[in-house]
Amino acid sequence: MSSMYAFALGLATVGQNGEVIEAWYPEPSVDIDAKSGDVIVSALAAAGVDCGNANTSCKLDAAALTSLAASNCSLAATARAMQGSKRQPIAVILHNDSKPGSVAEAYLKLQLISHRLKRPHEQNLDGIFACLPNLAWTSEGPVEIDALPARQLEARAEGRWLKVNSVDKFPPMTDYVVPDGVRIAHTARVRLGAYIGAGTTIMHEGFVNFNAGTLGTSMVEGRISAGVVVGEGSDLGGGSSTMGTLSGGGNVVIAVGENCLLGANAGVGIGLGDRCIVEAGLYVTAGTKVALLDDAGQLVREVKARELSGQSDLLFRRNSSTGAVECKTNRSKVALNEALHANN
């Protein structure tokens, strides 16, 4: 019986040493049952591919692609479309959710998130930085850094302009996946491996890292750091920030609940439950001293913000006279501008 964690056919870019440096999977599949898995394994076996019991990726030659295209495998149509491609066809078989062991596996796991097939934190991404090569992302696709000068010379000699858009381990998500029902004003600011929920609008200064994102309709004008998940109906104001595992949060997973508001230039290093507000300009870290107020505005006690992490219906503000950070019950609900989301 051949149940699988994930399977995909893709087209890869091969580097100077013949190794895969990136890969695109148009129709990845996840959580494949034994019956469907057996069909895939049989088709690959007929194409000369040994699936084995370990996670693996392999290059497919013309004969293997022809065999897959003629099979009753669910991705036969994809195999037919890849025949004659100038990029390298590959197959990736993940029997389990172990950490990525190759570039091909890492790219598949990132695309599973951006395809909304897996949510952030649902996969083992340990060591993914070590798997991914740093590449120049150009107008002609990914180029290895040490090969870039020769490619630039070749392009100029032929009268072409080779534009380098970024130098990074992670490409823009939209070069691989464009989820339905979203607006992204500046696509370079959303990395592959981001999870963007239907109904989300990301404005020009908004940023979403990998293994992070929004679960539903949200407005993002601020920064969603690696590992941070934002709930339905929340609004991250211009210049706001969430502290992720790569930006000081350590192993603590920061989440923003539903119907929350981070004001302009605000930030959090703690989790927020539902219906929370952090006023503009206020950055609440785990160690921030917070004065808890009752409904009459009287001091109840002072705590560190980490003690309030994940709680709902909180309003964080700074006392304009004393500068002290205060927290009281939030009596309002954040409402997104419907006009901004009507055309998603």
Side-chain angles (χ1 to χ4, degrees), residues 87-282:
R87 298 275 177 175
Q88 174 64 58
I90 62 171
V92 180
I93 304 101
L94 301 183
H95 294 285
N96 55 66
D97 182 29
S98 57
K99 67 179 184 179
S102 67
V103 171
E105 292 178 24
Y107 268 83
L108 176 54
K109 286 201 160 189
L110 291 173
Q111 287 171 63
L112 292 180
I113 300 174
S114 293
H115 273 290
R116 301 181 188 146
L117 296 173
K118 293 291 181 181
R119 287 189 173 190
H121 303 295
E122 283 187 349
Q123 299 187 100
N124 184 350
L125 299 181
D126 292 348
I128 195 168
F129 269 82
C131 281
L132 299 174
N134 195 35
L135 301 171
W137 298 95
T138 78
S139 51
E140 296 182 359
V143 177
E144 291 172 298
I145 303 301
D146 57 359
L148 184 61
R151 285 287 296 273
Q152 289 174 314
L153 176 58
E154 176 187 353
R156 293 203 180 213
E158 294 175 358
R160 295 180 291 108
W161 185 268
L162 185 68
K163 181 175 177 59
V164 178
N165 298 305
S166 66
V167 178
D168 198 1
K169 285 177 173 279
F170 292 80
M173 179 192 73
T174 53
D175 285 352
Y176 293 78
V177 183
V178 179
D180 63 286
V182 305
R183 293 172 55 214
I184 303 174
H186 191 346
T187 57
R189 296 182 63 81
V190 180
R191 276 175 147 184
L192 182 63
Y195 185 107
I196 310 300
T200 290
T201 293
I202 303 174
M203 299 302 287
H204 294 79
E205 295 305 315
F207 172 83
V208 186
N209 213 328
F210 80 101
N211 202 30
T214 63
L215 300 182
T217 300
S218 293
M219 170 62 71
V220 181
E221 296 180 272
R223 176 184 178 86
I224 301 179
S225 298
V228 177
V229 179
V230 176
E232 168 77 29
S234 289
D235 185 336
L236 275 63
S240 64
S241 179
T242 54
M243 187 181 292
T245 54
L246 302 180
S247 56
N251 294 322
V252 177
V253 176
I254 305 298
V256 175
E258 298 183 357
N259 301 304
C260 291
L261 171 64
L262 289 187
N265 297 315
V268 288
I270 62 171
L272 298 178
D274 300 332
R275 300 171 302 279
C276 290
I277 295 176
V278 180
E279 76 165 13
L282 175 61

